[in-house]
Amino acid sequence: MAKPKLRNLPDLAHLARPGQSIPVRVTPKAAQDRISFDGATVHIGVTAAPEDGKANQAVVKLLARAMGASPSALTLKKGHTGRDKVFVYDP
């Protein structure tokens, strides 16, 4: 069975500026994929487990979809193994 498509993603297009740092708080192994924005930090929950970078890949895909950008335009700068991460948008 395929994963359900996400609906009601917040519009994070305003974060898609070259050189923009995007602080993210990640919850791996969540019940469902979700994303919210509190004005300073993007909170992302992914169903993927934090093994072999699977959760990081899921976060990149979800964040890029909410921003309306390509996943390859996001670079993980800090937090490769932690829950608090910093991505940089560089198209």
Side-chain angles (χ1 to χ4, degrees), residues 11 15 17 20 24 49 51 54 57 81-83 85:
D11 182 18
L15 297 176
R17 292 181 301 192
Q20 175 77 32
V24 175
E51 300 170 347
K54 291 178 187 176
Q57 291 173 354
T81 59
R83 291 183 64 197
K85 300 178 183 304

Side-chain angles (χ1 to χ4, degrees), residues 10-85:
D11 182 18
L12 300 178
H14 66 281
L15 297 176
R17 292 181 301 192
Q20 175 77 32
S21 291
I22 305 161
V24 175
R25 175 79 174 182
V26 177
T27 302
K29 294 176 67 174
Q32 63 183 9
D33 289 345
R34 67 185 185 285
I35 187 167
S36 64
F37 183 61
D38 67 6
T41 303
V42 179
H43 298 272
I44 300 178
V46 292
T47 57
E51 300 170 347
D52 301 325
K54 291 178 187 176
N56 286 343
Q57 291 173 354
V59 168
V60 168
K61 288 179 185 178
L62 193 59
L63 181 59
R65 188 180 310 163
M67 291 174 62
S70 169
S72 63
L74 293 171
T75 305
L76 180 59
K77 289 295 181 182
K78 286 185 179 179
H80 292 276
T81 59
R83 291 183 64 197
D84 294 317
K85 300 178 183 304

